[in-house]
Structures are given as structure tokens and as C-alpha cells.
């Protein structure tokens, strides 16, 4: 046991949030699930309160989930946590790094700069350019800049008549602003999530679609299973996540006719894929990782977790 006070920013009642809080409580006797919507930041004192707990007096915070859905509002919530970090509280993962990931465009640009293989992508506000891209790519997926689990994504095809296709693109732009267009790739019925903790590879699970949707997400009926990617794919995923200073993440990878590609690096990383697909309790591993870092920072040496 340790006397560290570690809070979990997440969704109260949700499995991934609660299982992480459970693991922390086992090791510290302290439990605090923080609903970020109810946090009050008074920068004049300064003080950041959740209920009766001042977050600036915690030893650490793990960000498990910042919102049910991604939106620009998430950025403001992360800014509050950046302020808590300035008070000396260690936060995992770094809020500034998460800021670079919740916006799909920022994540894509970072991966492209690192030459990580991705689907052909075009980002524009010009409907005419978007129309040309659909015809060049054949079949595409329109993606919101802020979304998770394929929510808000739409599939368009170049075989659609010009008037209808232009109408679809204009409607999407009116709703989402930017037109983020990726070529729709043919998947072998599954894609993979490669799990990393502190930059170290932990294992991989597959999301296997049930055939009812174009995507393989669990939200759309997929299921988890163990998978064993080749070494070069693991290294590609390692390089992708290394573009961001994250304590814990999963990298979404898929095999295509032209080789393996990376879809994205997760801002938070889930636990259920590793739990159900690999029978690995990543909430437990993550908790030990954070506690050891905090003890090392406190004592100047790595203490074993009892």
C-alpha cells in the first residue's frame, strides 16, 4: 500500500473508468472518480475543485475519458487539467499531448510528417476539391475532426450522381466545417489495436466485424480477439505512438492489399480490447506504472509496488 492520492478523470459508472479507480483504490486506499463537467476552476486563488476535493492537492491524475463524444469542448476541459498540472500534479497522459490527438487533423498531420503509412487523405474546405477527391479515390469515408468509435462518419462513392454527391458534401461541410476525406480501404474483416504502456508494446487485439457495417468497431457490432502482428507492424505502431508523449495508448492498424496502414493513435486507449481479446488487465498494469513513476519522483528511486 502507498499513501498516494491519485484521481481518475472519466465517466462515472462506466466500466473502464470504474475498473481503473478500483485498481488505484486497491493499492492506495484512495478513490476519486472526477466528472470533468463538474470541476470548478478559480484561477484567482488558484484552486480547482471537484466536489470538496482540490485537484491541485492530488499526487497524480489519470485521464481515462474526457467526454462521451469528442468535440471542441474537450479542448477546454483539457486546458483546465493543464492548469492543474501547473500546480505540480502529475497527469497521465500529458494534457498537451492529448490536445494534439483529440483533433483528428492534428493527429493525421503528425503521422504524415513521420511518414507513417495511412489511407490516402485529403483535407479541405473546398467542396469542388472534395468532389474531385471522391472521384480520384473511388470510395471514401468522410470523418469529423472530433469523433470516436466511427461516430459521425459517412461513406461516399464516386458512382453517385454529381448533383447528389455535391449535395452530400455541402451538407457535411455545413455540419462539420472541414471536409476530412480518406480513401475507403478494403479490410480483411478486422483491424487491430496495438497496446502501448510507457512506449512499450504490451500486445495486440483484433476487432472483428459482424458484417453488418463497413467498420469493425465494437460500437457497430464487432468483437475482440487476440492477434499477433509481425515485428515490422509492431515497429510501425511504435513509431506512430512515439510522435506523442503518451503514458498509455492504442494504435489502430489494418492490413490492406498494399500493406499495413495506421488509422490513428488513440488519445486515451481502451482497456476492454486487451481484457477480452488478450485477457490482460491493462488497468492494473497502468496503475502500477503510474504509481511507480510517482514514487520514483517522490523518493528519487523506483519503489516496488506491493
Amino acid at each position: 500500500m502507498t499513501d498516494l492520492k491519485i484521481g481518475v478523470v472519466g465517466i462515472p459508472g462506466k466500466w473502464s473508468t470504474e475498473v481503473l479507480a478500483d485498481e488505484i483504490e486497491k493499492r492506495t486506499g484512495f478513490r476519486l472518480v472526477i466528472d470533468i463537467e463538474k470541476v470548478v476552476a478559480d484561477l484567482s486563488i488558484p484552486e480547482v475543485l471537484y466536489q470538496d476535493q482540490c485537484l491541485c492537492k492530488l499526487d497524480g491524475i489519470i485521464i481515462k475519458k474526457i467526454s462521451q463524444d469528442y468535440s471542441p469542448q474537450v479542448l477546454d476541459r483539457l486546458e483546465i487539467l493543464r492548469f492543474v498540472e501547473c500546480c505540480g500534479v502529475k497527469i497521465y497522459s500529458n494534457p498537451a499531448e492529448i490536445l494534439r490527438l483529440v483533433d483528428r487533423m492534428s493527429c493525421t498531420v503528425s503521422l504524415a510528417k513521420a511518414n507513417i503509412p495511412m489511407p490516402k487523405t485529403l483535407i479541405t474546405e473546398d467542396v469542388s476539391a472534395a468532389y474531385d477527391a471522391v472521384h480520384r479515390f473511388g470510395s471514401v469515408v468522410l470523418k469529423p475532426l472530433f469523433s470516436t468509435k466511427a461516430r459521425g462518419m459517412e461513406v461516399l462513392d464516386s458512382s453517385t450522381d454529381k448533383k447528389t454527391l455535391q449535395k452530400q458534401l455541402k451538407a457535411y461541410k455545413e455540419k462539420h466545417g472541414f471536409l476530412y476525406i480518406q480513401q475507403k480501404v478494403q479490410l480483411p474483416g478486422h483491424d487491430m489495436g496495438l497496446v502501448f504502456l510507457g512506449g512499450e508494446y504490451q500486445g495486440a487485439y483484433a476487432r472483428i466485424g459482424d458484417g453488418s457495417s463497413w467498420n469493425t468497431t465494437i460500437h457497430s457490432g464487432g468483437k475482440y480477439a487476440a492477434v499477433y502482428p509481425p515485428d515490422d507492424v509492431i515497429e510501425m505502431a511504435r513509431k506512430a505512438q512515439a510522435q506523442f508523449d503518451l503514458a498509455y495508448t492504442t494504435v489502430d492498424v489494418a492490413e490492406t492489399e498494399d500493406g499495413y496502414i495506421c488509422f490513428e493513435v488513440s488519445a486515451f486507449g481502451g482497456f476492454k480490447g486487451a481484457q477480452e481479446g488478450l485477457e490482460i488487465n491493462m488497468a492494473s498494469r497502468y496503475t502500477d506504472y503510474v504509481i511507480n513513476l510517482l514514487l520514483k519522483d517522490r523518493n528519487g528511486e523506483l519503489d516496488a509496488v506491493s
Side-chain angles (χ1 to χ4, degrees):
M1 292 286 289
T2 173
D3 62 350
L4 292 170
K5 290 186 176 182
I6 304 169
V8 177
V9 170
I11 311 297
K14 288 293 184 178
W15 179 81
S16 60
T17 297
E18 298 295 342
V19 75
L20 182 58
D22 288 344
E23 295 293 340
I24 292 171
E25 187 176 16
K26 287 177 188 176
R27 293 156 175 78
T28 67
F30 180 82
R31 184 189 188 90
L32 180 67
V33 173
I34 303 163
D35 183 349
I36 195 69
E37 293 185 31
K38 297 180 181 178
V39 167
V40 179
D42 188 336
L43 307 188
S44 62
I45 296 178
E47 183 178 73
V48 182
L49 288 177
Y50 174 65
Q51 297 176 346
D52 295 327
Q53 176 68 54
C54 178
L55 302 189
C56 293
K57 294 182 179 179
L58 297 177
D59 295 292
I61 291 174
I62 300 177
I63 306 174
K64 185 62 203 77
K65 202 74 172 175
I66 204 76
S67 175
Q68 289 277 29
D69 301 299
Y70 290 1
S71 70
Q73 189 176 12
V74 168
L75 306 181
D76 298 321
R77 293 174 179 175
L78 287 166
E79 288 296 344
I80 291 176
L81 292 174
R82 272 208 323 135
F83 180 78
V84 174
E85 188 179 43
C86 291
C87 296
V89 180
K90 301 294 183 180
I91 301 184
Y92 308 90
S93 291
N94 188 311
E97 293 299 306
I98 295 176
L99 280 165
R100 297 173 57 211
L101 282 167
V102 294
D103 182 339
R104 179 170 276 110
M105 186 185 300
S106 177
C107 177
T108 300
V109 168
S110 297
L111 294 177
K113 286 175 64 178
N115 296 315
I116 304 297
M118 293 184 293
K120 293 179 181 178
T121 304
L122 182 135
I123 307 167
T124 184
E125 296 179 74
D126 188 320
V127 173
S128 296
Y131 177 83
D132 292 341
V134 174
H135 278 270
R136 192 164 71 251
F137 294 163
S139 183
V140 306
V141 181
L142 282 175
K143 299 183 176 183
L145 295 183
F146 298 91
S147 75
T148 182
K149 300 185 185 300
R151 293 185 180 95
M153 296 185 185
E154 294 183 15
V155 176
L156 301 183
D157 194 272
S158 59
S159 63
T160 305
D161 67 88
K162 182 176 181 179
K163 185 176 181 181
T164 300
L165 187 54
Q166 288 180 328
K167 184 178 179 180
Q168 290 172 324
L169 289 167
K170 287 178 181 178
Y172 203 85
K173 182 191 173 185
E174 288 176 3
K175 183 175 182 180
H176 297 285
F178 269 90
L179 292 162
Y180 179 107
I181 302 168
Q182 277 193 336
Q183 185 177 45
K184 185 174 179 289
V185 296
Q186 293 297 320
L187 301 179
H190 70 272
D191 65 353
M192 298 181 290
L194 281 72
V195 184
F196 291 85
L197 177 62
E200 296 300 320
Y201 177 65
Q202 305 294 305
Y205 56 85
R207 284 174 293 249
I208 303 172
D210 66 357
S212 65
S213 174
W214 63 270
N215 68 74
T216 60
T217 64
I218 305 305
H219 180 70
S220 297
K223 63 180 181 179
Y224 295 117
V227 68
Y228 305 96
D231 290 344
D232 60 334
V233 174
I234 295 172
E235 287 308 310
M236 179 186 75
R238 190 190 308 277
K239 182 180 178 183
Q241 62 86 36
Q243 306 310 307
F244 312 93
D245 183 18
L246 300 169
Y248 178 71
T249 188
T250 54
V251 182
D252 289 347
V253 173
E255 184 179 8
T256 72
E257 293 179 351
D258 299 320
Y260 286 91
I261 57 172
C262 176
F263 283 118
E264 67 177 7
V265 177
S266 172
F268 307 103
F271 295 149
K272 191 156 284 187
Q275 183 77 44
E276 295 184 4
L278 300 170
E279 297 184 353
I280 296 176
N281 185 345
M282 286 308 306
S284 177
R285 290 190 186 183
Y286 195 4
T287 299
D288 287 343
Y289 172 79
V290 167
I291 287 176
N292 278 329
L293 287 178
L294 290 172
L295 290 176
K296 181 180 179 181
D297 186 65
R298 174 191 283 183
N299 303 327
E301 60 183 15
L302 191 63
D303 289 64
V305 177
S306 58

